[in-house]
Amino acid sequence: MTDQIASRLPESWAWAAWAGAALIHVALMLCFVLAAVAFFVWLERKVSARIQDRLGPTRVGGRFGWLQSPADGIKLLCKEDIIPAAADSFLFRIAPYLCFCPAFAAFAAIPLADGWVALRLDIAVLFVLAVAGMEIFGVILAGYASGSKYSLFGAMREAAQVVSYEAPLALCLVIPVMLAGSMDLTTIANAQEGWFTQWFVFHNPFSFAAFWIYVVCATANTNRAPFDLPEAESELVAGFMTEYSGFRWAVFFMAEYTAMLAVCLIASIAFLGGWNGPIPWTGWLGLSYSVHPALGFLGDFVGFLNLTAKSFLGVIFIMALRWTLPRLRIDQVMAMCWKYCVPLAAAMLLGAAVWLCLFPGGVFRGVGLRNAPSPTVAAVGAFAGEREQVQP
Amino acid sequence: MNLFFDPVGLPHYLLVGAVLFVCGILCMMTKRNAIGVLMGVELVLNGANVNLVALGSPMLYPSGVAPLGLEGPLTAAFVIVLAAAEAAVALAIVLSYYRTAATIDVDQASQLKG
Amino acid sequence: MTAAVLWHNVFFWIFGLAASALAVGVVVSTNVVRMAVCLVMSLAAVAGLFFLAGAPLLGAIQILVYVGGTMVLLVFGVMLTARLPAAAMRTNAGQWVAALIVGAALLAVLWQAGRGLSAACARRDAAAPSAAEIAPANQTVTELGLALLGVRADAAQSAEGGSSTQRPGYLLPFELISVHLLAALVGAAYLARSRWPARRQAADDVRSTDME
């Protein structure tokens, strides 16, 4: 995009092309994330209502309460700004933003369709994991800076939980990286092109199990129920968010929904085929760039809708989990991570690696839908071949 | 000074590394809080990492060949992992000391016993 | 200068100044939590410098391990030991003066060494073979991973024979530091275990609410 802008500007203004491209990328990311978050606020209330056999918002904005999210936002903006007297005021003020910014920054590397990514990194999976793991500082600072012991306990428990569950989360994500041969999310999704049998979740039984372990760890990582003891009303008032009211509380909730959307997007891209639908009808209709740029854009847009649908289904699933399962105690949460999730994830990783050695093409791929060897094997083979050539 | 007007190159990165290193040494020398000393150690290791990466980055050299090549970031990665291990052990020692002496003032840790 | 070089400069100054100023903030501040916050942001700025210098993998590792791991560990340590008044642990002025003199001297030495090294590298660069003869190192993940195995794509032709793509692999140090990390963490967990046998016997009938 930088080149497209730079080609329209005079030569000495080329630097503005970079700034313009960056700003446009940020604006697009922000639109997507904020629209999704506003939608999730409404969705959570509807999903929770339906599970509890009631209707949810039905008054504000028509029969389905579409305007509930803006109404909530306006209400939170108009609330009184309260900072406790015992609070460290500077840290108290910056903590919500330290929580939201990493969750949002992770979207820089997450592709929304083939080639629709702000920052195409070849370490995208590692980047998303790393940046999303920085959220924990906002939580710890919020707990400390509130100057109240409920907040501090809640923050410490949440920090321990989030940091612990990052380990099995990363172990589960190594499996799609191995299957695709690259940490680049665009490459991982493109390796699942075709019918739904090409999706990594159906590649081998170990990656299928790893997908469900990933779902559990992602739910725990974003502190959603049944792992939400640190912010549970019956135990710790509201955990680290106890002293936050009004818009600062809204920013914390934005951070939580943004993180939830990010992990669901990663699950969709890494395991569920990304922007490839279950049936590759865009290829049959000829919606590709080789035919016409506008048709290619349409094909990419259909892919974007596919990806959005998959990740929103994942979010609905996580929301339904919240209102269905009882809460786990903190010692049960930590035991589950270290005694169950980490060994299981490691065993799945080992199993998937052994499977790749035995059946390099995969079970479905070997049947005739796709016969390419895995890219990792090809890359090592290419370099090994070059090595043999230069042997004296 | 010519640092401000030249395009950013190796001397700039080495200066940042030096500043981080010296701040870490100052922390280790002046802080009485044991965890403050640990933070100084982290700063020292980061200064060294900045130097390693600058010497291994092909972008900073007009000919495109860096003195360290791929070893720069690789060694820096090893340093990061070793620093994590060292921080864990040092923090465990500090916590043990806090439990026995009820303070983390390093000035009072003057006896070999206990 | 071209736009790319200009933006590289701008972001270098932003990240470099942030890292240095926040490091000075760590030295100067007296509240240990503020020191921790300054250190976290300084480490994040250093990660930005790594991304800028063309080592994105290392930048991501820095954020993941340092910022997300080591600093959380330090902050936990701060929280667990933060019941003491900060004023009781001030360094007196004489020690500050001595420390600043030593620090300034060290900075001067390092700066001189840096200048000499840069000049030497510039001279070596001018005499180096042109980039067309050498495969440029992309420092992508594939290159780094294969370097671990000993297959080098950034082959600088070495005069003393041997294949140009064969360099010693880094797999053994990698495995060694992995085991070292495991041993260090197990040792740290053992060192930091709670040892109050009297309290445990007394707590037989009264369940404590600590998380184990």
Side-chain angles (χ1 to χ4, degrees):
Chain A
M1 189 190 284
T2 313
D3 301 326
Q4 286 170 348
I5 302 180
S7 61
R8 291 180 171 79
L9 291 171
E11 185 56 42
S12 63
W13 286 86
W15 58 270
W18 289 67
L23 285 175
I24 293 178
H25 279 138
V26 168
L28 287 173
M29 274 161 56
L30 205 56
C31 284
F32 179 69
V33 167
L34 292 182
V37 164
F39 180 65
F40 288 158
V41 171
W42 172 86
L43 188 67
E44 171 115 43
R45 296 178 67 157
K46 277 296 189 187
V47 165
S48 65
R50 293 291 172 162
I51 289 182
Q52 294 170 350
D53 201 19
R54 54 185 176 87
L55 286 177
T58 49
R59 293 186 189 273
V60 186
R63 259 184 68 198
F64 297 104
W66 291 111
L67 285 180
Q68 189 69 42
S69 299
D72 279 341
I74 295 174
K75 173 199 78 173
L76 288 168
L77 274 173
C78 296
K79 279 197 167 182
E80 181 188 355
D81 184 16
I82 302 176
I83 300 183
D88 184 340
S89 123
F90 175 66
L91 293 179
F92 187 85
R93 279 173 226 252
I94 66 170
Y97 308 106
L98 272 186
C99 212
F100 177 68
C101 291
F104 176 62
F107 276 84
I110 300 182
L112 296 176
D114 194 359
W116 289 18
V117 59
L119 194 62
R120 179 151 183 183
L121 293 170
D122 62 335
I123 46 151
V125 169
L126 192 60
F127 179 81
V128 171
L129 281 176
V131 172
M134 278 177 73
E135 265 187 83
I136 199 60
F137 278 107
V139 169
I140 294 178
L141 277 186
Y144 168 78
S146 300
S148 116
K149 61 178 177 292
Y150 290 120
S151 311
L152 193 58
F153 286 162
M156 289 298 124
R157 287 183 179 181
E158 178 147 349
Q161 178 182 320
V162 169
V163 166
S164 306
Y165 273 96
E166 276 177 16
L169 196 74
L171 281 176
C172 288
L173 276 180
V174 174
I175 295 180
V177 167
M178 263 196 324
L179 294 178
S182 162
M183 282 203 268
D184 185 359
L185 283 168
T186 317
T187 313
I188 293 178
N190 281 336
Q192 301 173 68
E193 224 176 311
W195 288 76
F196 66 93
T197 50
Q198 299 287 344
W199 293 357
F200 284 154
V201 68
F202 299 124
H203 186 276
N204 61 47
F206 299 103
S207 67
F208 186 76
F211 171 66
W212 293 108
I213 300 176
Y214 176 87
V215 167
V216 167
C217 295
T219 318
N221 206 34
T222 47
N223 273 302
R224 295 286 299 185
F227 302 99
D228 65 345
L229 190 83
E231 48 189 62
E233 284 117 19
S234 44
E235 273 85 14
L236 286 167
V237 189
F240 66 96
M241 287 193 263
T242 311
E243 305 290 343
Y244 282 88
S245 61
F247 193 63
R248 301 184 209 280
W249 180 87
V251 173
F252 272 120
F253 254 84
M254 266 164 56
E256 177 171 327
Y257 284 138
T258 310
M260 209 160 63
L261 180 64
V263 295
C264 286
L265 273 174
I266 297 290
S268 312
I269 293 174
F271 287 102
L272 296 178
W275 47 82
N276 302 303
I279 306 171
W281 56 272
T282 52
W284 298 340
L285 284 184
L287 292 177
S288 70
Y289 280 103
S290 51
V291 178
H292 188 78
L295 286 181
F297 182 81
L298 196 57
D300 279 347
F301 187 70
V302 170
F304 167 69
L305 290 178
N306 270 331
L307 181 60
T308 314
K310 287 177 199 171
S311 42
F312 277 23
L313 278 176
V315 169
I316 292 178
F317 179 73
I318 294 181
M319 286 181 181
L321 267 186
R322 174 180 184 180
W323 298 102
T324 315
L325 296 175
R327 193 171 281 135
L328 290 179
R329 277 197 331 263
I330 190 69
D331 62 312
Q332 290 172 332
V333 166
M334 301 306 282
M336 181 160 152
C337 173
W338 294 112
K339 291 192 203 165
Y340 296 100
C341 282
V342 167
L344 269 178
M348 294 304 123
L349 179 60
L350 188 62
V354 168
W355 185 281
L356 265 187
C357 289
L358 294 178
F359 310 106
V363 172
F364 286 114
R365 290 163 199 248
V367 171
L369 289 171
R370 181 86 79 78
N371 259 324
S374 111
T376 325
V377 173
V380 174
F383 276 104
E386 176 190 317
R387 190 169 153 178
E388 284 164 11
Q389 279 169 16
V390 294
Q391 286 281 5
Chain B
M1 197 163 26
N2 55 357
L3 266 191
F4 287 116
F5 302 112
D6 286 344
V8 163
L10 185 62
H12 302 84
Y13 278 86
L14 291 183
L15 179 62
V16 171
V19 168
L20 284 173
F21 189 88
V22 167
C23 286
I25 298 280
L26 279 177
C27 256
M28 285 160 66
M29 284 197 286
T30 57
K31 296 287 174 190
R32 282 173 70 177
N33 189 332
I35 301 190
V37 174
L38 280 182
M39 295 187 190
V41 174
E42 302 300 328
L43 276 176
V44 162
L45 292 168
N46 267 279
N49 273 348
V50 168
N51 277 6
L52 278 171
V53 167
L55 287 169
S57 153
M59 293 172 31
L60 298 174
Y61 305 93
S63 76
V65 176
L68 284 184
L70 279 174
E71 277 113 355
L74 214 53
T75 316
F78 289 165
V79 168
I80 290 179
V81 175
L82 291 170
E86 160 263 325
V89 174
L91 202 63
I93 295 177
V94 167
L95 281 178
S96 279
Y97 174 62
Y98 178 69
R99 287 210 181 101
T100 51
T103 177
I104 43 171
D105 190 350
V106 292
D107 277 358
Q108 295 182 15
S110 55
Q111 306 199 341
L112 281 178
K113 182 178 180 205
Chain C
M1 54 175 97
T2 67
V5 174
L6 175 73
W7 283 112
H8 182 236
N9 283 10
V10 166
F11 280 107
F12 171 80
W13 281 112
I14 294 178
F15 285 133
L17 279 177
S20 315
L22 288 163
V24 170
V26 175
V27 175
V28 164
S29 75
T30 48
N31 177 1
V32 69
V33 177
R34 298 220 177 191
M35 274 166 57
V37 171
C38 283
L39 184 61
V40 166
M41 298 207 266
S42 176
L43 295 183
V46 168
L49 276 180
F50 289 165
F51 276 108
L52 205 56
L57 177 66
L58 195 67
I61 292 179
Q62 163 99 350
I63 297 181
L64 190 64
V65 174
Y66 248 127
V67 176
T70 311
M71 281 314 302
V72 171
L73 193 63
L74 277 183
V75 169
F76 264 85
V78 164
M79 298 297 170
L80 287 173
T81 55
R83 277 186 237 147
L84 307 166
M89 288 198 294
R90 250 173 230 283
T91 326
N92 60 24
Q95 293 177 344
W96 266 111
V97 168
L100 282 172
I101 293 177
V102 170
L106 186 58
L107 186 61
V109 166
L110 287 174
W111 171 228
Q112 276 303 108
R115 272 177 56 179
L117 181 62
S118 313
C121 281
R123 278 197 301 275
R124 198 191 92 141
D125 237 20
S130 71
E133 294 174 19
I134 305 160
N138 269 330
Q139 297 197 346
T140 58
V141 179
T142 315
E143 313 260 338
L144 279 168
L146 289 168
L148 279 182
L149 293 174
V151 178
R152 297 295 294 268
D154 67 329
Q157 301 284 344
S158 59
E160 54 267 17
S163 126
S164 65
T165 50
Q166 289 262 32
R167 297 275 278 276
Y170 288 96
L171 204 54
L172 182 61
F174 181 75
E175 297 296 332
L176 278 178
I177 64 170
S178 310
V179 175
H180 166 94
L181 182 63
L182 178 67
L185 289 177
V186 169
Y190 176 75
L191 266 183
R193 77 198 183 284
S194 59
R195 335 177 180 107
W196 293 318
R199 183 175 161 191
R200 282 195 192 217
Q201 283 165 11
D204 264 346
D205 42 350
V206 176
R207 278 271 129 218
S208 82
T209 53
D210 284 345
M211 55 178 177
E212 292 289 310

